[in-house]
Amino acid sequence: MTNVFLVKYGELAIKGKNRYIFENRLVATIRRNLKPLGKFEVQKEQGRITVEPKEDNIDPQIVIDKLSRVFGIIGIAYGTKREEVSFNAVKELALEHMKAELEHKDYLTFKVNTKRADKRFPMASMEVSAELGAYLLDEFPDKLKVDVHNPDMILTVELRNGTYVYSKTHKGAGGMPYGTNGKSTLLLSGGIDSPVAGWMIAKRGVEIDAVYFHSPPYTSERATQKVIDLAKKVAMYTGGMKVHIVPFTDIQMAIYEKCPHEQLTIIMRRIMMEIAQRIAESNESMSLITGESIGQVASQTMHSLVVTDDSARMPVFRPLIGFDKEEIVQIAKKIDTFETSILPYEDCCTIFVPKHPETKPRLESIERSEEALADCIEEMIEEAIRTTEVVSV
């Protein structure tokens, strides 16, 4: 009898070659994420992935916490396994499991749920459940009672390449395995929205890198550390990412000195898009991601977004586009980025906000204003990219 984690994964509509790519990437991600915790044997098994600890001092709850953040996993069960596939093995595992459950309880209602993946097994699923239930009632006549409608515990038996028994399934992150749907670059700030946007796209199997625009001395090193900490929070789900820290002070000052102040934010966003695109292209990203939501601030009105998108040569994904702020906050709390996001260290977008920003910019007007930068902006963009610092988290 050995302890084992039985991992259940979603997107079961995927067929053929893509399914193997899906499963293999998920196995690789699980191995990578569990590596810091110790030695594990990770194997595919008939619609499941089994994770078997190879060390005695592994804390099951820490493993479950790690696995619950792996995209593609919909559930994790922790139980016991016997290599032998027989009703005797079922009874042995179920008896030990129930003893442990009843150790600190005087009474328990239960039902048995059997999943017979190995159709060569001579007993039908319902027959296994009925006979096992009767066996456990005989073993614990004063402590157990069957309740098929609202039991305290569902004892699950799975008959596969071995016999598995468990009683609780922990919810996984869902989505698709990280890296199965291409690569994108996230414009990451220190706010609430952009980490959530990156998490949502990564959940669909997209590998992500991040770009952060830093404006010393107007933004502090604590602001940069805050963004790195946010990236680390998202990386708990992805297994890691690279954060490109772009020095942006000179560009912002040039915009401030040469362009109409009511247009500062929209012109800044357009240049950010250009820099992020060049970094994305150099890293084989296929798209950009932002945390923008319609109407949330002046730079996110429909008019502003249209003008911003004019500077984009690649798709810009905005997964939060129709979300209310409270909806975004709830996801931020769920993925544990909220408390970091609200730390009072301002990023470059908030330092140079004009008093009266233009909310309905016209592309022709913005392009005329940008002509004032024509003699310097290309050189400044190239210098910003050349001096970008890359941090792996």
Side-chain angles (χ1 to χ4, degrees):
M1 182 173 69
T2 57
N3 294 326
V4 67
F5 299 88
L6 206 58
V7 175
K8 307 173 184 182
Y9 49 88
E11 305 291 347
L12 295 180
I14 296 175
K15 304 292 185 182
K17 181 180 178 181
N18 286 339
R19 186 182 181 93
Y20 290 110
I21 294 172
F22 179 111
E23 292 172 334
N24 291 338
R25 180 58 67 95
L26 185 54
V27 168
T29 302
I30 289 171
R31 286 174 176 156
R32 183 179 68 241
N33 284 24
L34 293 182
K35 190 173 182 179
L37 302 184
K39 295 181 179 179
F40 297 85
E41 183 178 333
V42 183
Q43 294 184 327
K44 291 189 295 183
E45 167 49 40
Q46 293 177 301
R48 296 282 189 269
I49 294 172
T50 60
V51 178
E52 188 175 327
K54 292 302 180 181
E55 298 175 8
D56 294 333
N57 60 342
I58 300 294
D59 185 335
Q61 191 55 53
I62 293 177
V63 176
I64 290 168
D65 289 344
K66 274 278 189 182
L67 292 174
S68 68
R69 291 184 174 92
V70 175
F71 292 129
I73 293 176
I74 61 173
I76 310 105
Y78 180 61
T80 51
K81 173 189 175 182
R82 281 277 303 273
E83 297 292 342
E84 175 189 346
V85 183
S86 69
F87 190 65
N88 283 335
V90 172
K91 290 195 296 183
E92 178 188 322
L93 292 177
L95 181 64
E96 293 303 314
H97 193 95
M98 198 61 79
K99 283 180 180 178
E101 287 289 328
L102 290 169
E103 187 174 355
H104 303 293
K105 297 175 184 175
D106 296 327
Y107 181 77
L108 191 69
T109 61
F110 78 106
K111 67 177 286 189
V112 178
N113 181 29
T114 301
K115 299 177 182 180
R116 189 172 62 111
D118 185 352
K119 301 305 181 183
R120 297 170 299 177
F121 193 76
M123 299 170 67
S125 297
M126 292 292 291
E127 187 180 359
V128 173
S129 296
E131 292 204 19
L132 181 59
Y135 167 73
L136 292 173
L137 288 172
D138 288 341
E139 291 293 323
F140 305 99
D142 300 323
K143 289 194 169 187
L144 289 181
K145 183 178 179 180
V146 172
D147 183 345
V148 296
H149 300 294
N150 189 31
D152 298 322
M153 183 184 77
I154 298 176
L155 185 68
T156 301
V157 175
E158 294 201 16
L159 301 165
R160 299 179 168 277
N161 65 326
T163 301
Y164 301 84
V165 170
Y166 58 90
S167 61
K168 185 176 181 181
T169 299
H170 304 265
K171 188 175 181 180
M176 300 182 71
Y178 187 65
T180 55
N181 264 327
K183 186 176 182 180
S184 190
T185 294
L186 169 68
L187 278 73
L188 181 63
S189 72
I192 296 170
D193 304 336
S194 58
V196 173
W199 178 85
M200 291 179 69
I201 295 294
K203 185 176 180 180
R204 300 310 304 159
V206 178
E207 180 183 353
I208 59 173
D209 279 350
V211 174
Y212 166 63
F213 294 92
H214 181 44
S215 295
Y218 302 101
T219 54
S220 68
E221 291 304 317
R222 289 182 298 181
T224 301
Q225 186 59 51
K226 173 184 173 181
V227 169
I228 291 172
D229 290 342
L230 285 169
K232 288 178 179 178
K233 296 281 188 181
V234 177
M236 292 179 70
Y237 293 87
T238 65
M241 74 168 74
K242 291 180 180 178
V243 182
H244 300 259
I245 302 171
V246 180
F248 202 58
T249 309
D250 291 345
I251 292 175
Q252 281 192 292
M253 293 306 300
I255 299 170
Y256 187 81
E257 292 169 2
K258 297 186 176 187
C259 299
H261 283 195
E262 67 273 13
Q263 297 178 346
L264 291 179
T265 302
I266 193 69
I267 293 173
M268 180 183 70
R269 292 293 293 175
R270 283 167 58 85
I271 295 174
M272 284 180 170
M273 283 286 190
E274 177 60 32
I275 293 173
Q277 284 176 116
R278 297 191 192 188
I279 293 173
E281 288 165 351
S282 70
N283 289 288
E284 300 183 340
S285 281
M286 303 168 67
S287 60
L288 300 178
I289 307 164
T290 77
E292 292 162 315
S293 170
I294 290 178
Q296 192 168 161
V297 294
S299 64
Q300 296 176 25
T301 64
M302 182 66 76
H303 301 76
S304 296
L305 293 175
V306 168
V307 172
T308 300
D309 273 358
D310 175 75
S311 65
R313 296 182 301 278
M314 57 176 57
V316 181
F317 296 139
R318 296 181 172 96
L320 307 181
I321 196 69
F323 280 48
D324 292 334
K325 192 66 176 184
E326 185 55 33
E327 293 174 309
I328 300 170
V329 166
Q330 290 306 312
I331 299 175
K333 289 179 177 178
K334 171 185 172 182
I335 65 175
D336 194 29
T337 57
F338 178 73
E339 294 299 330
T340 303
S341 291
I342 62 175
L343 291 174
Y345 309 131
E346 294 181 305
D347 60 34
C348 67
C349 293
T350 56
I351 294 296
F352 287 87
V353 173
K355 289 183 179 180
H356 303 289
E358 192 167 335
T359 58
K360 295 182 178 180
R362 295 174 65 247
L363 180 58
E364 304 80 27
S365 174
I366 297 297
E367 288 178 334
R368 282 197 301 271
S369 298
E370 288 176 340
E371 289 175 3
L373 301 169
D375 62 338
C376 64
I377 193 62
E378 179 59 32
E379 183 179 343
M380 296 177 81
I381 288 174
E382 290 178 359
E383 178 65 11
I385 294 173
R386 188 186 67 79
T387 55
T388 291
E389 178 187 0
V390 181
V391 177
S392 296
V393 300

